[in-house]
Amino acid sequence: MPRKVILFLLAAAMISGGVYLLAAELLTARILYSRLVVAGGFLIVLGGYLLWTDFIAPALRIKTWED
């Protein structure tokens, strides 16, 4: 059970960090650094993938390629 809690916290932190990085770069920066935009998007996608495969899909009884 502690593994699931740690994984959930890690995925949630990745998503929230990615959203913060992406929003801060797109909304407040004078000069857009494409690396930060890509990094924020990558964190969002990777965190969403972790949440989907380990929490959302099993709760909805959806088979993934890992099953």
Side-chain angles (χ1 to χ4, degrees), residues 18 21-22 25-26 29-43:
L21 188 62
L22 194 63
E25 189 62 26
L26 290 176
R30 286 185 179 198
I31 299 173
L32 241 108
Y33 292 105
S34 60
R35 282 187 232 162
L36 294 178
V37 173
V38 170
F42 181 73
L43 283 173

Side-chain angles (χ1 to χ4, degrees), residues 1 5 8-9 11-12 17 22 24 27 29 31 37 45 48-49 55 57 61 66:
M1 194 64 165
V5 172
F8 181 78
L9 291 175
L22 194 63
L27 299 176
I31 299 173
V37 173
V45 168
Y49 174 75
F55 297 101
R61 295 190 167 108
E66 294 177 345

